[in-house]
Amino acid sequence: MPYFTTATDKTKLHFIDYGPADGPTLVFVNSAYFGTEMWEFQMLPLAAEGYRCIGLDRRGHGKSEDVWGGFDLDTLADDLGSLLDHLDLRDVTLIGHSLGSNEAVRYLTRHGSGRVARLALVAGMAPGIVRGDDNPEGLPAEAIAAANETFRRDRAEFFATGGDAYFALGLPGNDVSAAYVQKVIQDCHGATARAATALVANLETLEMAPEVRKIDIPTLVIHGDQDASAPIDLTGRRAAALIADSTFKLYENGGHGLYVTHAERLNADLREFSGR
């Protein structure tokens, strides 16, 4: 089972590396709570088609080491950088979902685009949902903090009752079985209590518009218009407007879990975007 240690604090992280070593390289950055299993409908078919598909379990997630510290965005971005350095990856298409999009952006603003040729934000949380000068329509930090406290008190309830909204079930095209929803809920518990609560605490202050403006590589922004977790006007549309070289694709009736409900369309868009 492949592992590497981070350059920051020597935390041991698990990663997967599927497909041929010489294929076009796609690096996936997970949402909060999930390990690399979330990308099964992307990594498996794309690797079978000749893409090299790589992802890591964030610290405290999946099969990676459970640690106390390092859930700030700088350290998480540096962990991602340690993986790219460990495998000496070049010409990467970097794909981030939800909070993973913020890690991808922070990686680029901290480490540059020497290894990364393209960025894809899928149902991204970037730039952020908190109210601020760059986001006057955002949510008050106090409201996000209160929601995080509710989450801390009963993560199980939060996960168990969130499946319908996460996948926008009941809307056309969002056909996910009850069994798969339960599987995803269980996957969320792959993050430790410390990792889950420390990670989402970032949302209370996370406003990355100045950083997003600095993105200097082609960027694909994919977002559903029914995304309850990352409201499109605060995140996807705003990210696309801030990035000079961006392409915006709206998935009608799409929720937050586009990588499941719209897997085939997402894969086709990633193929086209990565130049193959």
Side-chain angles (χ1 to χ4, degrees):
M1 188 175 293
Y3 287 90
F4 71 101
T5 56
T6 66
T8 50
D9 58 5
K10 305 304 180 185
T11 297
K12 187 178 180 182
L13 301 183
H14 170 256
F15 72 98
I16 61 175
D17 188 350
Y18 290 165
D22 59 351
T25 304
L26 311 179
V27 175
F28 294 84
V29 188
N30 313 330
S31 174
Y33 324 128
F34 293 105
T36 52
E37 75 284 336
M38 70 169 281
W39 297 107
E40 66 174 302
F41 299 124
Q42 285 69 52
M43 286 191 172
L44 298 184
L46 292 173
E49 294 169 18
Y51 290 85
R52 185 180 184 184
C53 296
I54 297 167
L56 77 158
D57 288 345
R58 185 186 291 109
R59 56 180 59 214
H61 288 62
K63 300 180 180 69
S64 287
E65 189 175 0
D66 182 15
V67 295
W68 176 256
F71 296 101
D72 60 285
L73 207 59
D74 284 352
T75 302
L76 295 171
D78 291 349
D79 288 351
L80 174 60
S82 292
L83 173 66
L84 301 188
D85 292 345
H86 173 71
L87 296 174
D88 192 23
L89 300 177
R90 306 281 177 179
D91 195 31
V92 165
T93 299
L94 186 60
I95 304 159
H97 179 266
S98 195
L99 265 173
S101 71
N102 299 83
E103 291 172 57
V105 168
R106 181 61 58 85
Y107 168 80
L108 290 167
T109 57
R110 280 177 69 80
H111 298 277
S113 55
R115 294 187 180 277
V116 178
R118 292 160 296 276
L119 172 67
L121 307 178
V122 179
M125 197 67 74
I129 60 173
V130 68
R131 183 178 297 167
D133 291 342
D134 277 303
N135 191 20
E137 303 303 318
L139 304 178
E142 297 80 9
I144 299 174
N148 283 346
E149 177 61 19
T150 299
F151 173 75
R152 186 194 66 77
R153 289 197 303 267
D154 196 342
R155 288 177 298 122
E157 174 72 8
F158 176 86
F159 294 144
T161 59
D164 285 7
Y166 186 83
F167 291 116
L169 298 183
L171 294 177
N174 299 330
D175 300 320
V176 183
S177 71
Y180 195 84
V181 171
Q182 288 304 308
K183 183 260 187 194
V184 170
I185 290 169
Q186 290 305 309
D187 287 345
C188 288
H189 289 285
T192 67
R194 167 60 181 170
T197 55
L199 192 64
V200 298
N202 287 304
L203 290 173
E204 297 169 28
T205 58
L206 195 59
E207 174 46 45
M208 301 181 69
E211 291 179 70
V212 172
R213 289 190 184 97
K214 295 178 182 178
I215 300 299
D216 60 356
I217 56 177
T219 301
L220 175 63
V221 180
I222 293 174
H223 220 95
D225 61 2
Q226 301 299 316
D227 192 325
S229 301
I232 188 171
D233 289 335
L234 303 181
T235 56
R237 284 199 175 103
R238 200 157 62 98
L242 291 169
I243 299 171
D245 188 3
S246 69
T247 300
F248 179 70
K249 294 202 173 187
L250 176 69
Y251 284 21
E252 293 185 2
N253 296 320
H256 203 49
L258 298 176
Y259 56 94
V260 176
T261 57
H262 293 67
E264 291 186 7
R265 180 178 174 185
L266 174 58
N267 292 351
D269 284 337
L270 292 176
R271 290 186 198 98
E272 179 182 14
F273 181 59
S274 63
R276 179 173 172 177

